[in-house]
């Protein structure tokens, strides 16, 4: 049997999207039998395509409710190419509004010096009252492209002014579809300088970064099973991580880097497991007759958020201790809620929610008791598979419009969406690294 490729319910649920007829909702009353969990796993996305759900009361973040502080580049000396990169990084990182007048909240002066093998950028920023707020020098790292010097410089400006990590020195891993295959690609944070990292000539999907950026995990589809594979980014060697047959998918590395949460099934049920990376030992976390999927770790690694339909007709989000225990439903809304990601910086949970027949991005602050999500995206299309960038404010996701997918960055503070560079094919299932 050839197993069809996985798509996270094409973005929506980190569950597979298979071209089968739309199933009827499983009967959950009385003692009548429920549709086998493995079949529901394959049929979720088809159901997603026609289900129209009205959510509980939802707060909507309007575009440009407020603005970022303005920044004026008062003086620049040096390479025109690096000036172009600087403007691009400051624009796409979305912490400042670049202006062409000195009547700005901040004014920046830049001097790029290149002498022999030594290359530096000197950055100084003053506020509207001409009070110095940032002053530092970034040196070019041997073996890296010059653009990385600019990435690090902009990240330092963001960190020093806003006390938050930047995003420019992050990288993206994502799935690119070209023809009848899907492979894992990587790029800079803005989607530029993309290149392929797998060549399996099959479906290689769901990339996930290790906390130290040394390796990626992804799901690879074979003739009768799926496996979790590790790519060592230092030497590009691939290693099989899962040793059990059957279906293995949706790997998520713990913040400690010691464990991987994943879904596994070699019978009827898709269940959550935690694997110890050092020896491959597996610990089963859930025991239900439903489908569990899309696990993500809390910042302290003590809790998993995941998707399940075990106690509801539609898949929704649950929390469970990473050591096992009783799951707790997260949302009171009856809407489908899938594909979560949990920020270790802001302690906020972003996920995909089905509202009025389409997928939107939604947000929960896990430090608050309120479980009413805020909707982040109102523009047309299906917004799917969000992944936090290192600043805990922006997410990268895919957007499907008229059947075609591409990558976007979405600001969870003001709701702005920025298309990221694409280089042919269709891009989906993005995953953002920590800072390099």
């Amino acid at each position: 049997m050839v197993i069809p490729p996985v798509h996270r319910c094409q973005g929506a649920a980190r569950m597979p999207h298979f071209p089968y007829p739309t199933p009827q909702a499983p009967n959950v009353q009385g003692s009548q039998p429920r549709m086998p969990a493995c079949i529901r796993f394959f049929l979720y996305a088809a159901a997603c395509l026609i289900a129209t759900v009205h959510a509980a009361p939802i707060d909507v973040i309007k575009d440009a409710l407020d603005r970022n502080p303005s920044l004026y580049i008062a003086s620049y000396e040096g390479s025109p190419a690096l000036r172009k990169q600087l403007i691009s990084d400051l624009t796409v990182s979305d912490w400042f509004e670049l202006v062409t007048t000195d009547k700005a909240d901040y004014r920046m002066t830049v001097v790029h010096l290149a002498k022999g093998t030594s290359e530096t950028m000197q950055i100084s920023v003053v506020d509207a009252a001409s009070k110095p707020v940032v002053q530092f020098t970034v040196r070019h790292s041997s073996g890296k492209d010059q653009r990385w010097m600019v990435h690090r410089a902009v990240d330092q400006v963001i960190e020093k002014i806003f006390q938050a990590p930047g995003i420019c020195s992050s990288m993206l891993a994502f799935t690119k579809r070209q023809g009848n295959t899907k492979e894992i690609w990587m790029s800079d944070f803005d989607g530029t300088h993309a290149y392929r990292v797998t060549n399996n000539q099959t479906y290689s999907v769901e990339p996930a970064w290790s906390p130290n950026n040394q390796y990626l995990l992804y799901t690879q589809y074979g003739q009768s099973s799926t496996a979790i594979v590790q790519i060592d980014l230092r030497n590009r060697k691939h290693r099989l991580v899962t040793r059990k047959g059957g279906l293995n998918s949706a790997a998520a590395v713990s913040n400690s880097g010691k464990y991987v949460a994943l879904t596994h099934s070699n019978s009827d049920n898709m269940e959550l497991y935690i694997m110890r990376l050092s020896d491959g030992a597996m610990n089963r976390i859930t025991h239900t007759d439903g489908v569990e999927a899309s696990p993500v770790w809390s910042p302290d690694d003590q809790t998993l958020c995941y998707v399940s339909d075990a106690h509801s007709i539609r898949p929704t989000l649950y929390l469970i201790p990473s050591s096992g225990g009783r799951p707790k439903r997260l949302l009171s809304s009856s809407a489908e809620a899938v594909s979560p990601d949990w920020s270790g910086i802001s302690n906020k949970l972003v996920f995909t929610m089905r509202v009025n027949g389409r997928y939107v991005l939604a947000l929960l602050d896990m430090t608050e008791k309120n479980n009413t999500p805020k909707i982040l995206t109102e523009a047309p299309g299906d917004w799917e598979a969000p992944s936090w960038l290192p600043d805990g404010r922006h997410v990268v996701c895919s957007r499907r419009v008229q059947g075609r997918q591409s990558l976007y960055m979405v600001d969870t503070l003001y709701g702005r969406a920025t298309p990221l560079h694409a280089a042919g094919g269709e891009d989906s299932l993005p995953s953002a690294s920590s800072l390099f």
Side-chain angles (χ1 to χ4, degrees):
M1 179 181 72
V2 176
I3 297 181
V6 74
H7 293 224
R8 287 192 201 170
C9 192
Q10 204 27 55
R14 287 194 190 175
M15 294 182 176
H17 176 181
F18 301 103
Y20 295 154
T22 303
Q24 298 296 316
N27 192 320
V28 295
Q29 297 180 350
S31 60
Q32 296 181 3
R34 203 173 189 218
M35 183 184 295
C38 63
I39 296 178
R40 296 202 309 282
F41 179 84
F42 289 111
L43 299 180
Y44 264 138
C48 292
L49 292 176
I50 66 168
T52 299
V53 177
H54 295 279
I58 292 169
D59 295 331
V60 176
I61 296 181
K62 301 291 186 181
D63 287 348
L65 281 177
D66 205 336
R67 66 171 181 85
N68 287 321
S70 55
L71 176 75
Y72 173 59
I73 301 178
S75 173
Y76 179 92
E77 297 179 20
S79 164
L82 291 190
R83 183 180 188 277
K84 183 178 179 180
Q85 184 69 59
L86 176 67
I87 291 173
S88 176
D89 281 11
L90 287 168
T91 301
V92 179
S93 62
D94 192 33
W95 280 89
F96 296 99
E97 177 187 353
L98 288 187
V99 296
T100 57
T101 173
D102 61 359
K103 297 184 183 303
D105 298 310
Y106 296 100
R107 299 193 302 275
M108 174 183 285
T109 299
V110 182
V111 177
H112 168 233
L113 297 174
K115 295 182 179 179
T117 59
S118 175
E119 189 171 1
T120 62
M121 288 190 78
Q122 299 172 0
I123 307 288
S124 63
V125 179
V126 299
D127 62 17
S130 298
K131 179 181 178 181
V133 292
V134 171
Q135 190 168 4
F136 62 89
T137 298
V138 175
R139 300 185 182 280
H140 180 219
S141 298
S142 176
K144 281 203 176 253
D145 189 276
Q146 285 179 313
R147 72 182 188 277
W148 282 92
M149 180 170 59
V150 181
H151 290 342
R152 294 198 311 274
V154 174
D155 283 344
Q156 285 193 40
V157 171
I158 292 171
E159 182 176 0
K160 291 177 183 297
I161 292 179
F162 300 101
Q163 289 76 55
I167 62 175
C168 301
S169 300
S170 174
M171 294 192 70
L172 305 181
F174 54 94
T175 297
K176 181 180 286 291
R177 179 169 190 160
Q178 293 180 309
N180 295 320
T181 65
K182 289 190 174 185
E183 302 288 355
I184 305 299
W185 284 58
M186 288 173 54
S187 75
D188 284 13
F189 83 106
D190 55 2
T192 62
H193 300 90
Y195 58 94
R196 187 175 62 187
V197 294
T198 65
N199 190 24
N200 296 322
Q201 299 298 307
T202 179
Y203 277 74
S204 302
V205 297
E206 297 185 320
W209 290 89
S210 65
N212 59 9
N213 294 337
Q214 291 186 358
Y215 63 85
L216 282 173
L217 299 181
Y218 68 93
T219 303
Q220 182 177 341
Y221 275 72
Q223 292 296 310
S224 60
S225 64
T226 63
I228 305 298
V229 180
Q230 180 188 79
I231 310 174
D232 189 322
L233 297 176
R234 296 165 296 185
N235 54 30
R236 299 302 172 86
K237 291 184 178 179
H238 293 225
R239 179 180 73 90
L240 187 65
V241 174
T242 49
R243 300 175 183 176
K244 290 189 176 184
L247 300 175
N248 301 276
S249 64
V253 187
S254 67
N255 296 293
S256 70
K258 297 179 179 180
Y259 301 94
V260 174
L262 68 150
T263 60
H264 167 74
S265 172
N266 54 13
S267 57
D268 281 345
N269 287 352
M270 290 297 298
E271 301 285 357
L272 287 189
Y273 285 76
I274 290 182
M275 172 188 290
R276 189 166 56 222
L277 276 173
S278 60
D279 58 8
M282 299 264 285
N283 180 35
R284 183 172 172 177
I285 300 300
T286 60
H287 300 77
T288 74
D289 65 347
V291 173
E292 276 71 53
S294 307
V296 292
W297 297 83
S298 64
D300 62 4
D301 284 345
Q302 297 301 303
T303 304
L304 293 172
C305 179
Y306 66 100
V307 178
S308 178
D309 73 337
H311 307 289
S312 59
I313 294 177
R314 303 180 186 93
T316 190
L317 302 181
Y318 288 83
L319 300 176
I320 193 170
S322 56
S323 57
R326 178 181 292 274
K328 175 185 177 182
R329 182 166 176 161
L330 183 58
L331 303 173
S332 58
S333 169
S334 62
E336 178 184 337
V338 290
S339 195
D341 197 30
W342 202 330
S343 171
I345 298 297
S346 61
N347 201 13
K348 292 180 179 179
L349 194 77
V350 65
F351 55 97
T352 299
M353 195 171 190
R354 192 164 176 85
V355 178
N356 296 330
R358 67 184 186 90
Y359 291 111
V360 299
L361 298 190
L363 183 74
L364 275 182
D365 189 335
M366 301 301 285
T367 64
E368 299 177 355
K369 294 183 179 180
N370 180 21
N371 68 353
T372 300
K374 292 182 178 180
I375 300 302
L376 302 174
T377 52
E378 293 189 283
D382 289 320
W383 298 81
E384 305 167 331
S387 173
W388 284 105
L389 285 154
D391 62 358
R393 168 180 169 177
H394 295 88
V395 298
V396 61
C397 67
S398 61
R399 181 190 184 192
R400 180 192 292 271
V401 178
Q402 296 180 346
R404 185 174 180 83
Q405 285 187 297
S406 55
L407 300 186
Y408 275 72
M409 188 178 77
V410 175
D411 180 8
T412 65
L413 184 59
Y414 299 142
R416 283 185 290 268
T418 302
L420 301 182
H421 181 79
E426 290 192 50
D427 301 332
S428 60
L429 305 176
S431 177
S433 75
S434 54
L435 296 179
F436 275 84

